C-alpha cells in the first residue's frame, strides 16, 4: 500500500540522509578530480571521470525506474548508499597500501555512478510520499537548501581533509554514506509504490513517453540538460585551481563550493518566497544568467572574480532546478514517479557527468579557457532556440495547472 503524505515532521530525517549522501559525493568529487589530475596531468582524463559515472547511469535507466515503482524506495536508496560506502572504503585501503592508480579510481567512479543511478530516482520519488502536494514546492526548496549546504561543506571539507591524506577523505566519505543509510532507516512506514502493472517494454518506456507527451516538462528538462551540458565548467576546476588561479587543493575546494553558496542562498530565498507566477519567463532569465556567468568565469584570471561568477552561476541554476523539479513532481502520478524520475535523472546525469566529459574533450581540443567560454555562449544560443521550439514552457504562468498560461 502507498504511504499517505505525512506532515513536514518526517522531512528532517529525509533531508539528513540526503545531506549526508551529497556531502560524501562532493568530497569524492574533489578527491577523484585532484588524484586523477595529479596522476595524469590530463584534462581529457578529468573529463573521463564524468563519462565513467554517466555510462552506468544511462545503461541502468529503465531498470532503476521500474525498481523505484515496484519496490521499497527507501530500501533501494539505502542499498545504493551502502554500495558507495564500500567503494570509498576500497579507495581508502588502496591509498594506505600505496596501490592507488587510475584504473582503480575510474572503476570506483563507475561504481558510484551505478549506485547513484538507483539512489537518486528512489529519493526523488520518495519525497512526495512524505509530504502533501500543497507543501511540495516548499519541501523541494528546503531539500535544495539542505543539499546545497552539503555541496558547500563537502568540497571545502574534501579539500582540507585531502591535505591530511587521501585515505582520510575516502574514510570520511564511507562514514557519511553509512550515516545517510541510517537516517533513511529512521523513516517510519513502507515507501513501496502502488504500481501493479506487468513488466513490459512499454511499461519500462512509460517514463520516456510521459515526458515526451508534455512539452512543458520536456522543454524544462531538456533546457536544463543542454545549458549545463554546454555551460558546465566543474570538470575543469582542477585546471583553474592549479594552472590558472595558482591555488592548491584548498582553492579547488573553494571553487567547487562557490556555486553551492549561490544555490543555497537562492534556495533559502525560494523556500521563504516560493515561485508562484511567470515561472516560464523566470526560467529563461535564470538560464541566460547561467550562461553569462559561465563566460565571466572562463575569462577570469582573478580568484575573487572567479568565486563571484561561480556564486551567481549556482544561484541562477537553482531557480531552474526548482522550477524543473516542481513541474516534474507535481504533474507525475505516484505510480510513475520512479520511471519519470529515472529519466529525469538521466537528463541531469547527462548535463553533469557527460557535460564534464564534453568539457574535458573541448579543453583538450581548444584549450581550457576557450572551452569554458564557448560553453557559455552555447548556453545562450540554447535559450534562444528553446524559446522558439517550446513556446508553452516560456508562456507557463503557474505550477500544477497545465492550462495556466500567461500570454
Amino acid at each position: 500500500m502507498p504511504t499517505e503524505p505525512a506532515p513536514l515532521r518526517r522531512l528532517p530525517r529525509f533531508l539528513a540522509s540526503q545531506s549526508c549522501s551529497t556531502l560524501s559525493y562532493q568530497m569524492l568529487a574533489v578527491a577523484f578530480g585532484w588524484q586523477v589530475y595529479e596522476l595524469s596531468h590530463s584534462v581529457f582524463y578529468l573529463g573521463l571521470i564524468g563519462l565513467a559515472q554517466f555510462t552506468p547511469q544511462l545503461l541502468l535507466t529503465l531498470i532503476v525506474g521500474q525498481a523505484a515503482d515496484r519496490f521499497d524506495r527507501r530500501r533501494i536508496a539505502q542499498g545504493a548508499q551502502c554500495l558507495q560506502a564500500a567503494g570509498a572504503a576500497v579507495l581508502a585501503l588502496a591509498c594506505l597500501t600505496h596501490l592507488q592508480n587510475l584504473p582503480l579510481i575510474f572503476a570506483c567512479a563507475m561504481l558510484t555512478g551505478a549506485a547513484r543511478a538507483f539512489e537518486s530516482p528512489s529519493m526523488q520519488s520518495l519525497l512526495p510520499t512524505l509530504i502533501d502536494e500543497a507543501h511540495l514546492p516548499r519541501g523541494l526548496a528546503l531539500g535544495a537548501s539542505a543539499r546545497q549546504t552539503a555541496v558547500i561543506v563537502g568540497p571545502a571539507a574534501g579539500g582540507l581533509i585531502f591535505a591530511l591524506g587521501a585515505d582520510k577523505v575516502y574514510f570520511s566519505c564511507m562514514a557519511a554514506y553509512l550515516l545517510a543509510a541510517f537516517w533513511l532507516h529512521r523513516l517510519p512506514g513502507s515507501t513501496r509504490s502502488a504500481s501493479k502493472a506487468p513488466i513490459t517494454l512499454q511499461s519500462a518506456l512509460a517514463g520516456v513517453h510521459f515526458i515526451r507527451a508534455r512539452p512543458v516538462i520536456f522543454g524544462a528538462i531538456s533546457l536544463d540538460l543542454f545549458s549545463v551540458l554546454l555551460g558546465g565548467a566543474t570538470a575543469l576546476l582542477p585546471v583553474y585551481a592549479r594552472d590558472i588561479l595558482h591555488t592548491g587543493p584548498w582553492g579547488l575546494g573553494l571553487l567547487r563550493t562557490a556555486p553551492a553558496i549561490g544555490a543555497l542562498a537562492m534556495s533559502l530565498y525560494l523556500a521563504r518566497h516560493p515561485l508562484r507566477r511567470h515561472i516560464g519567463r523566470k526560467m529563461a532569465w535564470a538560464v541566460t544568467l547561467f550562461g553569462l556567468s559561465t563566460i565571466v568565469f572562463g575569462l577570469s584570471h582573478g580568484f575573487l572574480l572567479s568565486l563571484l561568477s561561480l556564486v551567481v552561476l549556482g544561484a541562477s541554476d537553482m531557480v531552474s532546478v526548482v522550477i524543473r523539479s516542481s513541474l516534474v513532481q507535481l504533474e507525475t502520478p505516484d505510480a510513475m514517479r520512479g520511471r519519470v524520475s529515472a529519466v529525469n535523472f538521466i537528463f541531469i546525469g547527462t548535463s553533469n557527468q557527460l557535460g564534464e566529459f564534453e568539457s574535458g574533450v573541448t579543453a583538450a581540443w581548444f584549450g581550457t579557457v576557450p572551452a569554458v567560454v564557448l560553453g557559455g555562449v552555447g548556453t545562450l544560443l540554447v535559450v534562444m532556440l528553446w524559446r522558439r521550439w517550446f513556446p508553452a514552457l516560456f508562456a507557463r504562468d503557474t505550477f500544477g495547472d497545465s492550462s495556466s498560461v500567461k500570454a
Side-chain angles (χ1 to χ4, degrees):
M1 294 294 292
T3 313
E4 290 296 323
L8 288 174
R9 68 174 183 271
R10 290 186 176 181
L11 193 58
R13 293 173 183 175
F14 174 86
L15 297 182
S17 176
Q18 176 186 259
S19 298
C20 288
S21 180
T22 304
L23 177 74
S24 184
Y25 179 72
Q26 292 300 320
M27 289 194 292
L28 273 182
V30 172
F32 283 163
W34 193 266
Q35 279 204 308
V36 166
Y37 193 59
E38 192 172 52
L39 292 171
S40 69
H41 300 284
S42 169
V43 292
F44 179 73
Y45 274 69
L46 283 175
L48 284 180
I49 299 175
L51 183 63
Q53 295 183 69
F54 171 72
T55 301
Q57 294 173 3
L58 177 63
L59 296 177
L60 294 169
T61 300
L62 300 182
I63 297 175
V64 302
Q66 290 277 8
D69 279 340
R70 295 175 181 277
F71 305 106
D72 193 320
R73 294 161 178 169
R74 179 182 53 178
R75 299 303 184 196
I76 295 173
Q78 278 184 304
Q81 290 163 351
C82 291
L83 190 61
Q84 292 172 88
V90 169
L91 288 172
L93 294 175
C95 290
L96 286 175
T97 55
H98 304 289
L99 295 177
Q100 71 268 32
N101 54 67
L102 289 176
L104 179 62
I105 295 174
F106 283 118
C108 287
M110 291 188 70
L111 177 67
T112 300
R116 282 174 56 79
F118 282 91
E119 179 189 9
S120 294
S122 298
M123 293 289 279
Q124 289 176 22
S125 52
L126 173 59
L127 178 59
T129 69
L130 301 177
I131 55 179
D132 56 53
E133 289 190 0
H135 290 100
L136 186 57
R138 184 186 174 200
L140 288 170
L142 288 172
S145 300
R147 185 171 59 250
Q148 293 306 322
T149 300
V151 173
I152 291 172
V153 175
L160 292 173
I161 299 173
F162 193 96
L164 302 176
D167 60 298
K168 295 178 176 58
V169 177
Y170 293 126
F171 276 129
S172 299
C173 293
M174 178 192 70
Y177 275 130
L178 293 177
L179 189 58
F182 167 77
W183 281 115
L184 274 188
H185 179 73
R186 296 282 294 166
L187 277 175
S190 172
T191 56
R192 187 186 303 272
S193 171
S195 178
K196 300 294 185 181
I199 299 177
T200 63
L201 180 61
Q202 182 178 1
S203 70
L205 295 173
V208 177
H209 297 320
F210 181 89
I211 291 174
R212 287 190 60 186
R214 289 157 177 78
V216 172
I217 295 179
F218 183 46
I221 292 177
S222 57
L223 175 61
D224 186 72
L225 183 157
F226 283 103
S227 61
V228 178
L229 175 65
L230 295 173
T234 55
L236 302 177
L237 289 182
V239 183
Y240 272 88
R242 181 167 180 166
D243 299 337
I244 297 176
L245 302 175
H246 306 293
T247 66
W250 66 270
L252 173 60
L254 290 177
L255 288 173
R256 291 192 67 94
T257 296
I261 293 176
L264 174 61
M266 181 58 69
S267 62
L268 290 173
Y269 175 82
L270 294 178
R272 186 173 180 83
H273 305 282
L275 293 167
R276 301 187 187 281
R277 303 293 305 276
H278 313 300
I279 59 174
R281 194 179 310 168
K282 289 174 181 176
M283 186 171 191
W285 281 111
V287 177
T288 299
L289 186 58
F290 179 89
L292 291 173
S293 57
T294 299
I295 295 173
V296 173
F297 172 77
L299 295 173
S300 172
H301 284 72
F303 189 68
L304 291 179
L305 179 59
S306 297
L307 284 176
L308 179 61
S309 62
L310 290 174
V311 168
V312 175
L313 181 149
S316 57
D317 184 51
M318 178 51 58
V319 176
S320 174
V321 167
V322 169
I323 292 174
R324 170 179 52 78
S325 299
S326 297
L327 286 171
V328 170
Q329 297 291 2
L330 286 171
E331 300 186 15
T332 303
D334 181 65
M336 287 191 61
R337 280 198 176 108
R339 283 164 287 177
V340 172
S341 294
V343 176
N344 184 37
F345 180 64
I346 281 299
F347 276 79
I348 297 172
T350 300
S351 61
N352 291 327
Q353 278 80 45
L354 196 58
E356 291 180 3
F357 176 65
E358 178 271 336
S359 296
V361 171
T362 54
W365 287 348
F366 307 118
T368 300
V369 172
V372 175
V373 173
L374 286 174
V377 173
T379 298
L380 300 180
L381 292 177
V382 165
V383 176
M384 296 172 61
L385 290 174
W386 259 240
R387 279 184 176 274
R388 177 180 294 271
W389 294 345
F390 296 95
L393 169 62
F394 297 104
R396 186 66 179 267
D397 186 31
T398 62
F399 293 117
D401 180 8
S402 59
S403 64
S404 178
V405 175
K406 185 82 171 177

